[in-house]
Amino acid sequence: ELVREGFKAVVFAGNDDASALNERLAREIGAYGGRVLLVTPAPKAGGMPAGVVQLPIPRAESAILPVLEIVPVQLLTIPLARARGYEAAVFQYGGKVTTEE
């Protein structure tokens, strides 16, 4: 319901059974007019609709793949936030949900 023209997403394909589901999600977002960066160890040649760009990463064991997928994107968020005038990890409208352990 959120996807419309101008919607942007990063989808991590993953390994094994999850990759087919995540690739389908990327295709659906692209079909509804969204733009997707699909981070994948197994890019599909010519198999993605307009709006879906594949970012190939090295193949890895399932246990280490989340590190290869997510850490570079997390590191990228800091300079992107600064470039847009935000301070990373600072709440604008709310506060930390967990106040005690």
Side-chain angles (χ1 to χ4, degrees):
E1 292 302 315
L2 294 174
V3 179
R4 57 188 46 87
E5 201 67 39
F7 180 87
K8 297 175 186 157
V10 176
V11 175
F12 301 98
N15 273 341
D16 308 321
D17 297 335
S19 66
L21 293 172
N22 293 326
E23 288 171 10
R24 187 175 85 196
L25 172 64
R27 283 188 189 95
E28 287 180 12
I29 292 171
Y32 287 118
R35 295 178 58 196
V36 182
L37 177 64
L38 177 63
V39 181
T40 178
K44 306 289 187 246
M48 292 293 160
V52 180
V53 175
Q54 299 178 86
L55 176 63
I57 60 171
R59 289 192 173 272
E61 294 294 322
S62 291
I64 190 104
L65 186 59
V67 174
L68 293 174
E69 291 176 327
I70 296 166
V71 171
V73 174
Q74 288 177 327
L75 293 173
L76 181 61
T77 62
I78 295 169
L80 285 175
R82 285 185 187 139
R84 293 183 176 197
Y86 296 101
E87 186 176 345
V90 174
F91 293 102
Q92 287 187 325
Y93 306 111
K96 186 174 179 181
V97 175
T98 305
T99 58
E100 59 185 74
E101 208 169 310

